[in-house]
Amino acid sequence: MKFFIDTANLAQIKEANDLGILDGVTTNPSLMAKEGIKGKEAILQHYKTICELVDGDISAEVVSTDFEGMVAEGKVLAAIHPNIVVKVPMIKEGIKAIKWFTDNGIRTNCTLIFSAGQAILAAKAGAAYVSPFIGRIDDSGWEGTELIAQLSNIFSIQGFKTEILAASIRNPNHIIKCAELGAHVCTCPLDSILGLLKHPLTDIGLAKFLEDAKKTA
Ligand code: G3P
């Protein structure tokens, strides 16, 4: 399973990248706004900076909701760097845009996926990635990881090339479940990635080793 970080925060991207386990970055308009990035030029420059920091796929989201607007925006985003993947919302116009991008050699990530039907349509249109939002499904009282299991099964039976990119990750257990259920990629906040490191028995064990090492010094 590939690890992406889900943030537009450069310090966090760098920290995750320095671990040596990072395969890419996903962003969205909310994450860009959180970093105070404002204006078209600043946004394009921020994506460029992220592309220079991380050698992997970088999702950059369009904000138009009509076909022509999405295509125009996506062309500009894709021109920033070969690693840019244009993120397109799961709406009717978005499916048309994904098909256009696919036919024109631009890779896409279909975002805001909450059902298997939506993921199947995006895969048929040629999306490189589909992004099921598992945390938000949990928030609404359903089990987000069940969608990952369902998509893994369908994509494998159908032989879809589209990768399942589990998004809206809220904790380390989400990451473990996504790995178990066959997600191709998990995009995570830094806290959830670092949470995978933690176990109290590791801390206790290390303290003992260090204490005993003093006896052998
Ligand atoms: O990748 C999508 C993600 O940013 C949404 O996460 O926590 O806002 O549901 P969240």
Side-chain angles (χ1 to χ4, degrees), residues 6 26 28 31 87 133 135-136 167-170 187:
D6 192 29
T26 52
N28 62 39
L31 294 171
K87 208 169 174 188
F133 276 28
R136 293 193 195 181
S168 186
I169 296 295
R170 302 281 170 74
T187 188

Side-chain angles (χ1 to χ4, degrees), residues 32 36-43:
M32 294 296 267
I37 317 294
K38 232 177 150 67
K40 202 174 158 189
E41 283 314 310
I43 289 171

Side-chain angles (χ1 to χ4, degrees), residues 2-209:
K2 287 184 274 189
F3 269 73
F4 289 2
I5 188 166
D6 192 29
T7 185
N9 181 285
L10 297 179
Q12 291 187 10
I13 291 171
K14 193 168 179 322
E15 188 175 340
N17 199 43
D18 286 348
L19 278 175
I21 52 89
L22 197 65
D23 301 298
V25 181
T26 52
T27 61
N28 62 39
S30 306
L31 294 171
M32 294 296 267
K34 198 170 159 193
E35 298 309 314
I37 317 294
K38 232 177 150 67
K40 202 174 158 189
E41 283 314 310
I43 289 171
L44 295 179
Q45 180 53 50
H46 200 73
Y47 284 135
K48 193 165 179 279
T49 305
I50 294 173
C51 289
E52 284 160 4
L53 273 178
V54 177
D55 183 18
D57 285 350
I58 313 296
S59 286
E61 188 159 342
V62 299
V63 290
S64 299
T65 53
D66 63 297
F67 171 78
E68 285 79 12
M70 286 190 224
V71 167
E73 258 189 80
K75 281 191 210 166
V76 173
L77 291 171
I80 297 172
H81 193 278
N83 287 349
I84 288 283
V85 176
V86 178
K87 208 169 174 188
V88 177
M90 166 35 76
I91 54 176
K92 193 172 166 190
E93 294 288 290
I95 291 297
K96 283 160 64 178
I98 288 169
K99 179 71 172 82
W100 187 92
F101 286 128
T102 305
D103 291 345
N104 287 276
I106 293 175
R107 293 177 307 136
T108 52
N109 171 0
C110 186
T111 188
L112 292 166
I113 297 277
F114 293 92
S115 76
Q118 292 177 327
I120 290 169
L121 266 185
K124 285 292 291 179
Y129 298 102
V130 287
S131 289
F133 276 28
I134 70 170
R136 293 193 195 181
I137 295 175
D138 287 356
D139 293 344
S140 66
W142 299 76
E143 176 56 58
T145 53
E146 280 178 11
L147 180 56
I148 302 297
Q150 193 181 17
L151 295 188
S152 277
N153 194 28
I154 293 170
F155 280 37
S156 144
I157 290 169
Q158 297 297 330
F160 288 152
K161 290 196 181 74
T162 302
E163 294 190 52
I164 302 162
L165 192 169
S168 186
I169 296 295
R170 302 281 170 74
N171 54 59
N173 202 40
H174 269 159
I175 303 175
I176 296 162
K177 286 298 288 181
C178 287
E180 194 178 4
L181 295 170
H184 302 98
V185 190
C186 208
T187 188
C188 325
L190 181 63
D191 282 357
S192 298
I193 298 175
L194 297 181
L196 293 172
L197 289 167
K198 294 181 192 152
H199 197 287
L201 290 179
T202 303
D203 300 338
I204 293 167
L206 181 60
K208 177 79 174 124
F209 283 154

